[in-house]
């Protein structure tokens, strides 16, 4: 026995004697900033990743004398091990776009290698356009529209009166949708402290859950760096008089009155002013940030004003090279008026009922928003990453002319990432979201969402494959997810099974809804990347869609507690060509997409009599006509898009471009005559309501020495189909007051689509200060968003910005 102990001890000692532990540091060759999460591997796939400080430790056996260091967007380096305490400098790839995204797979990826369509909006465009509400910047992204605050990607969302969203909006990778209506508060997002905005197109529920049925918008904030940074910006702007060509003639509106100028305010034109401040600083193990933003808008529409003050903070602490703690948060107070319905097409900037609180259709509000984000990071010795992140999001909507609502959202997520090798990676996690709503508008309700998920990625020299899945559980009050699973015969997980065929059974009334995604990206040759993806989606109705009960003027909205979830899928084939011309790097991207929805939810106009009324009188009929969210069946949206982008120097001029065109064919596949009767488009093959067939966007910015010039362009075709009730006074044999007087005549006149040009000029006063003149809607065109929502006339702002 002693002999065997001696032999085992000798082997162990020999192993330690022949093993070598090396320590190293991986830095960016230009900024000398540490690269967190860089892969360090030997020839036998023994490896690790760098920690919070860019450091690594790796045990080598006697046969390993070389290591390979790689990091997304950087040139891979292979070096011989010679000593300890080595420092490796990695250089950015010259043939890469150097754009790294996180949204596509919850981990860092270079944009050209992701298997789905994704657009990236950089801060240069946001800052130079004097963006004080992120909604206006999102409108510049190809394939994206925002209708009265509701985001659409490739026409997938439509318009649902502010209730529900098919686009998941994230702030730093966590949801920021209100708990009651599942809508986004664009003025709450911190435009003064952005790193970039990532827009993921297509169904993404497998990674991000219910509201990602149509895509994801991820707003990523800037983090403190080694060099402290302070930014201060101030601006003042004025709205021009709206111009309508018909004011020069004798044309009369729908009420028989001569058309008048849209201007409603006498004397000085309405103006807007604001400021923003941001400071980011890192001191050894501690990093801090603070932002402040203020805005005052007198409004180009009568009564639609806004006064807000918003603050955000960031705290981060590296306990050591393994543990990191963060606490971020923010809050906002905003008050003003919200414009819903115009008085007529002749006085389109004046609200129905004037501005008196007793008669107006304006919504006078004072709202509060607050969020708090605790996070914990742990970087294990073997390279595994453990992340726990959470968010408390509070919204309080105090309204004078409409019922109020308060919501509390408690979000928590655990994310685990493991690299089996440099080319084989796993991300897995569990999330939960609890919502409490207290409201006169909806009633008091609570909701719960729980979902485990994973994504597995395998990379070869030219081919990347990813597969992910998620299981969604939802509950609103006592109503839970109910879905059916197809399973092999003999796998009995339910007492409620139905035979499907000889090999499968249908397990009914399961509590978790599974969704999956599959993506492939193939590097055909240098700079050319083919991709294909398939993703499923699932959306549970929001509390607002199920329970909202309100009216504005003659517009009534009814609750539907029996509203069911909608499902869908998206398939895509695309190609991205990356190229370089001198010092300018760019890409051309083309994609064909196909999206289908089942059990689609949509607000539908109709007669909704309660069961208690069997022989309705005329007043009872009129009191029960309005909108209700219904499951309207199947829908399909197919089409293609083309994008162009890039940045760099063309000769002495720095040039930045983002542009795109999108064709959409959104159609309803059901044959429900009642639903079709609500369409304003009575042709044989109408498209879905509140969609466009064509979108085109472009922004070009040129910088030369101290000068900057930029121009933006946006075009959408005519909105062919809306709710018929907005145009007609006689529906189903009943005559009633128009919700939007003159809209039908207005749409007959303005039926060619809309386009807008913006322009901006900038000059650097010195290395720390610049001044910018921004002109939006340069040609002062009259443009409509959703029906009855006239967009701003020409407005001119002067911005002064400092950075030091």
């Amino acid at each position: 026995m002693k002999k065997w102990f001696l032999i085992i001890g000798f082997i162990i000692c020999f192993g330690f004697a022949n093993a070598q532990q090396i320590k190293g540091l991986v830095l960016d060759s230009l900024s000398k900033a540490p690269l967190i999460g860089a892969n360090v591997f030997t020839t036998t796939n023994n490896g690790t990743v760098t920690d919070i400080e860019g450091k690594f430790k790796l045990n080598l056996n006697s046969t390993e004398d070389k290591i390979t260091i790689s990091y997304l967007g950087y040139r891979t380096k292979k070096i011989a091990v010679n000593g300890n305490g080595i420092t490796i400098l990695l250089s950015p790839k010259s043939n890469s776009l150097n754009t790294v995204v996180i949204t596509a797979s919850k981990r860092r990826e270079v944009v050209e290698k992701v298997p789905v369509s994704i657009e990236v909006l950089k801060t240069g465009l946001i800052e130079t356009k004097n963006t004080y509400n992120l909604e206006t910047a999102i409108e510049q992204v190809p394939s994206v529209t925002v209708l009265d605050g509701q985001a659409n990607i490739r026409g997938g969302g439509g318009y649902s009166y502010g209730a529900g969203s098919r686009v998941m909006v994230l702030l730093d990778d966590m949801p920021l949708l209100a708990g009651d209506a599942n809508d986004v508060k664009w003025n709450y997002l911190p435009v003064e402290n952005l790193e970039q905005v990532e827009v993921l197109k297509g169904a993404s529920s497998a990674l991000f859950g219910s509201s990602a049925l149509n895509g994801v918008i991820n707003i990523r904030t800037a983090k403190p760096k080694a060099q402290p940074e302070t930014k201060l910006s101030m601006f003042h702007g004025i709205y021009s008089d709206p111009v309508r060509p018909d004011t020069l003639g004798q044309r009369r509106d729908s009420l028989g009155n001569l058309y008048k100028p849209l201007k409603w305010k006498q004397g000085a034109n309405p103006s807007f002013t604001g400021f923003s401040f941001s400071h980011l600083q890192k001191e050894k193990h501690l990093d801090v940030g603070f932002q402040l933003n203020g805005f005052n808008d007198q409004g180009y529409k009568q009564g639609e004003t806004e006064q807000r003050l918003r603050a955000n903070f960031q705290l981060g602490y590296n306990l050591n090279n393994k543990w990191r703690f963060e606490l971020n948060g923010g809050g906002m107070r905003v008050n003003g008026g919200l414009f819903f319905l115009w008085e007529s097409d002749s006085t389109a900037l004046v609200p129905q009922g004037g501005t008196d609180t007793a008669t107006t259709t304006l919504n006078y509000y004072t709202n509060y928003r607050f969020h708090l984000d605790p996070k914990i990071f742990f970087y294990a010795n073997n390279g595994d990453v453990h992340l726990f992140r959470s968010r408390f999001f509070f919204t309080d909507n105090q309204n004078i002319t409409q019922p109020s609502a308060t919501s509390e959202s408690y979000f928590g997520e655990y994310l685990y990432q493991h690299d089996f090798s440099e080319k084989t990676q796993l991300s897995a996690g569990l999330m939960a979201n609890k919502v409490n709503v207290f409201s006169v508008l909806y009633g008091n309700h609570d909701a719960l969402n729980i979902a485990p998920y994973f994504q597995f990625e395998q990379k070869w020299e030219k081919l990347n494959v990813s597969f992910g899945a998620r299981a969604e559980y939802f509950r609103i009050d006592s109503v839970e997810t109910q879905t059916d699973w197809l399973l092999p015969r003999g796998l009995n997980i339910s007492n409620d099974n139905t035979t499907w065929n000889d090999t499968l059974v249908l397990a009914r009334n399961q509590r978790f809804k599974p969704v999956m995604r599959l993506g492939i990206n193939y590097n055909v040759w240098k700079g050319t990347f083919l991709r294909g993806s398939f993703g499923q989606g699932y959306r549970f109705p929001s509390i607002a869609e199920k329970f909202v009960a309100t009216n504005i003027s003659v517009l009534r909205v009814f609750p539907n507690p029996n509203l069911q979830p909608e499902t869908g899928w998206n398939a895509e084939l695309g190609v991205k060509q990356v190229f370089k011309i001198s010092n300018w790097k760019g890409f051309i991207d083309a994609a064909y997409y196909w999206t289908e929805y089942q059990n689609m939810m949509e607000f539908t106009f109709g007669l909704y009599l309660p069961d208690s009324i069997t022989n309705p009188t005329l007043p009872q009929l009129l009191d029960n006509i309005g909108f209700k969210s219904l499951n309207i069946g199947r829908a399909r949206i197919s089409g293609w898009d083309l994008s162009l982008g890039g940045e760099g120097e063309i000769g002495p001029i720095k040039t930045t471009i983002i542009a795109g065109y999108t064709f959409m064919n959104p159609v309803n596949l059901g044959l429900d005559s009642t639903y079709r009767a609500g369409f304003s488009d009575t042709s044989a093959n109408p498209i879905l309501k509140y969609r466009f067939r064509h979108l085109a966007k472009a922004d070009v910015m040129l910088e030369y020495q101290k000068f900057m010039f930029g121009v933006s362009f946006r075009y959408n075709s005519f909105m062919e189909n809306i709710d018929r009730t907005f145009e007609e006074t006689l529906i189903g044999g009943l005559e009633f007051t128009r919700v939007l007087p003159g809209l039908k005549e207005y749409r007959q006149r303005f039926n060619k689509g809309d386009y807008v040009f913006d322009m901006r000029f900038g000059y650097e006063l010195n290395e720390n200060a610049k001044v910018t003149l921004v002109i939006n809607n340069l040609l002062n065109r009259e443009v409509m968003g959703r029906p009855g929502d006239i967009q701003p006339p020409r407005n001119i702002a002067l911005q002064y910005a400092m950075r030091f």
Side-chain angles (χ1 to χ4, degrees), residues 190-400:
V191 293
E192 61 276 6
N193 182 42
L194 293 182
E195 184 70 32
Q196 65 185 28
V197 179
E198 301 171 8
V199 179
L200 188 64
K201 305 176 186 179
S204 304
S205 294
L207 277 182
F208 297 102
S210 172
S211 291
L213 187 64
N214 182 220
V216 177
I217 298 175
N218 190 5
I219 296 96
R220 293 173 52 197
T221 59
K223 307 302 179 186
K225 300 178 177 62
Q227 190 70 24
E229 181 183 63
T230 301
K231 297 187 294 184
L232 176 64
S233 173
M234 299 169 286
F235 64 88
H236 181 76
I238 189 168
Y239 293 105
S240 300
D241 290 341
V243 173
R244 179 178 278 174
D246 286 329
T247 58
L248 302 177
Q250 296 297 309
R251 189 171 301 194
R252 295 179 181 272
D253 66 14
S254 59
L255 302 179
N257 301 316
L258 287 173
Y259 273 105
K260 298 176 289 186
L262 289 177
K263 181 178 179 180
W264 56 270
K265 188 180 189 321
Q266 302 302 315
N269 285 24
S271 63
F272 54 94
T273 188
F275 74 91
S276 64
F277 169 83
S278 174
H279 178 74
L280 299 173
Q281 185 170 353
K282 180 184 286 287
E283 291 290 340
K284 294 184 179 179
H285 298 288
L286 177 69
D287 47 77
V288 297
F290 176 74
Q291 294 81 41
L292 189 65
N293 178 281
F295 180 64
N296 181 37
D297 184 6
Q298 294 181 351
Y300 66 95
K301 296 175 184 174
Q302 187 178 21
E304 186 167 72
T305 63
E306 181 181 354
Q307 300 82 41
R308 73 166 180 256
L309 185 64
R310 182 181 66 231
N312 291 273
F313 71 91
Q314 301 83 35
L315 291 173
Y317 182 72
N318 296 336
L319 181 64
N320 48 44
N321 62 353
K322 301 299 179 187
W323 288 92
R324 175 174 172 82
F325 302 89
E326 289 185 6
L327 181 63
N328 306 325
M332 179 181 74
R333 181 189 188 275
V334 56
N335 64 275
L338 192 60
F339 190 105
F340 282 113
L341 305 174
W342 69 23
E343 185 177 71
S344 74
D345 53 330
S346 178
T347 53
L349 301 183
V350 175
Q352 281 185 33
T355 56
D356 187 274
T357 57
T359 59
T360 187
T361 56
L362 286 168
N363 179 21
Y364 291 112
Y365 63 86
T366 298
N367 295 344
Y368 298 90
R369 307 275 181 268
F370 173 76
H371 78 280
L372 196 64
D373 301 348
K375 301 179 185 179
I376 301 173
F377 301 78
F378 176 67
Y379 297 83
N381 289 328
N382 66 347
D384 288 356
V385 178
H386 302 263
L387 166 60
F388 173 76
R389 53 190 170 200
S390 59
R391 168 168 290 159
F392 170 66
F393 184 35
F394 172 81
T395 66
D396 183 19
N397 303 315
Q398 298 297 322
N399 304 315
I400 297 176

Side-chain angles (χ1 to χ4, degrees), residues 347-543:
T347 53
L349 301 183
V350 175
Q352 281 185 33
T355 56
D356 187 274
T357 57
T359 59
T360 187
T361 56
L362 286 168
N363 179 21
Y364 291 112
Y365 63 86
T366 298
N367 295 344
Y368 298 90
R369 307 275 181 268
F370 173 76
H371 78 280
L372 196 64
D373 301 348
K375 301 179 185 179
I376 301 173
F377 301 78
F378 176 67
Y379 297 83
N381 289 328
N382 66 347
D384 288 356
V385 178
H386 302 263
L387 166 60
F388 173 76
R389 53 190 170 200
S390 59
R391 168 168 290 159
F392 170 66
F393 184 35
F394 172 81
T395 66
D396 183 19
N397 303 315
Q398 298 297 322
N399 304 315
I400 297 176
T401 51
Q402 288 293 314
S404 300
T406 299
S407 73
E408 303 169 346
S409 297
Y410 302 86
F411 174 86
E413 180 182 21
Y414 167 70
L415 174 63
Y416 168 72
Q417 293 182 329
H418 174 74
D419 292 354
F420 296 96
S421 70
E422 186 181 4
K423 299 182 181 297
T424 307
Q425 300 168 329
L426 173 70
S427 297
L430 175 68
M431 64 76 59
N433 192 33
K434 179 72 167 62
V435 172
N436 297 319
V437 172
F438 312 96
S439 171
V440 176
L441 185 60
Y442 317 118
N444 296 340
H445 302 278
D446 71 285
L448 177 65
N449 175 208
I450 299 173
Y453 64 87
F454 77 90
Q455 175 146 313
F456 180 81
E457 297 179 67
Q458 178 64 53
K459 302 176 182 179
W460 290 273
E461 183 178 355
K462 289 181 173 290
L463 179 65
N464 294 348
V465 178
S466 62
F467 174 77
R470 185 184 185 101
E472 289 276 359
Y473 168 82
F474 269 93
R475 177 186 59 77
I476 293 182
D477 298 333
S478 60
V479 179
E480 296 178 295
T481 311
Q482 289 190 351
T483 186
D484 299 335
W485 294 5
L486 273 177
L487 298 172
R489 290 178 69 90
L491 185 60
N492 295 320
I493 63 170
S494 171
N495 294 324
D496 188 9
N497 287 349
T498 301
T499 300
W500 183 261
N501 57 30
D502 291 340
T503 59
L504 298 174
V505 295
L506 192 65
R508 297 188 178 277
N509 301 320
Q510 301 304 305
R511 294 296 180 261
F512 280 85
K513 171 67 176 179
V515 289
M516 294 176 287
R517 66 179 300 196
L518 174 67
I520 298 174
N521 185 295
Y522 182 68
N523 187 187
V524 182
W525 51 75
K526 185 177 181 180
T528 303
F529 300 87
L530 290 177
R531 67 179 184 275
S533 64
F534 174 84
Q536 294 178 312
Y538 176 75
R539 188 172 81 87
F540 207 76
S542 66
I543 288 174

Side-chain angles (χ1 to χ4, degrees), residues 486-713:
L486 273 177
L487 298 172
R489 290 178 69 90
L491 185 60
N492 295 320
I493 63 170
S494 171
N495 294 324
D496 188 9
N497 287 349
T498 301
T499 300
W500 183 261
N501 57 30
D502 291 340
T503 59
L504 298 174
V505 295
L506 192 65
R508 297 188 178 277
N509 301 320
Q510 301 304 305
R511 294 296 180 261
F512 280 85
K513 171 67 176 179
V515 289
M516 294 176 287
R517 66 179 300 196
L518 174 67
I520 298 174
N521 185 295
Y522 182 68
N523 187 187
V524 182
W525 51 75
K526 185 177 181 180
T528 303
F529 300 87
L530 290 177
R531 67 179 184 275
S533 64
F534 174 84
Q536 294 178 312
Y538 176 75
R539 188 172 81 87
F540 207 76
S542 66
I543 288 174
E545 287 171 295
K546 287 172 73 76
F547 300 109
V548 62
T550 188
N551 67 282
I552 304 170
S553 183
V554 296
L555 178 64
R556 292 177 175 82
V557 183
F558 300 99
N560 183 6
N562 298 318
L563 189 64
Q564 298 300 306
E566 62 183 357
T567 60
W569 57 267
N570 173 262
E572 176 186 306
L573 291 174
V575 58
K576 186 184 292 288
Q577 178 63 55
V578 178
F579 58 89
K580 183 178 181 181
I581 302 175
S582 184
N583 292 318
W584 194 83
K585 298 177 184 178
F587 69 89
I588 297 176
D589 187 283
Y592 177 79
Y593 61 90
W594 186 291
T595 301
E596 290 204 8
Y597 296 135
Q598 292 80 40
N599 229 22
M600 183 177 179
M601 291 181 278
E602 190 168 287
F603 277 92
T604 303
F605 185 81
L607 176 62
Y608 302 106
L609 284 169
D611 294 337
S612 59
I613 300 178
T614 55
N615 296 304
T617 63
L618 180 60
Q620 288 175 326
L621 289 172
L622 294 176
D623 286 344
N624 288 280
I625 285 182
F627 290 91
K628 179 188 285 190
S629 188
L630 300 178
N631 298 108
I632 56 101
R634 294 178 59 212
R636 180 181 66 226
I637 305 170
S638 59
W640 57 275
D641 55 27
L642 184 68
S643 297
L644 169 69
E647 59 183 339
E649 287 77 31
I650 300 178
I653 301 175
K654 182 181 179 182
T655 304
T656 305
I657 298 175
I658 178 173
Y661 166 79
T662 305
F663 170 75
M664 296 160 286
N665 185 33
V667 296
N668 176 251
L669 301 178
L671 300 175
D672 188 332
S673 58
T674 302
Y675 171 64
R676 294 282 292 270
F679 287 7
S680 67
D681 184 356
T682 57
S683 64
N685 297 299
I687 67 173
L688 292 172
K689 294 181 296 184
Y690 305 108
R691 269 81 168 183
F692 308 109
R693 288 189 188 271
H694 306 276
L695 289 177
K697 312 280 184 76
D699 184 88
V700 179
M701 185 167 68
L702 309 175
E703 298 173 83
Y704 175 70
Q705 295 182 359
K706 294 186 176 184
F707 296 91
M708 181 276 294
F709 169 76
V711 60
S712 299
F713 170 77

Side-chain angles (χ1 to χ4, degrees), residues 26 35-42 45-51 54-58 67-78 88 90 107-108 382-385 417-425 459:
V26 182
L35 298 181
I36 303 172
N39 292 300
V40 184
F41 279 89
T42 67
N45 276 334
N46 171 32
T48 186
V49 298
T50 55
D51 60 25
K55 298 177 181 179
F56 69 90
K57 296 178 182 178
L58 186 61
I67 59 173
T68 300
I69 306 95
S70 64
Y71 194 69
L72 284 174
Y74 288 75
R75 294 181 180 276
T76 298
K77 181 176 284 189
K78 183 177 291 187
I88 300 108
L90 296 186
R107 62 165 70 221
R108 292 170 52 88
N382 66 347
D384 288 356
V385 178
Q417 293 182 329
H418 174 74
D419 292 354
F420 296 96
S421 70
E422 186 181 4
K423 299 182 181 297
T424 307
Q425 300 168 329
K459 302 176 182 179

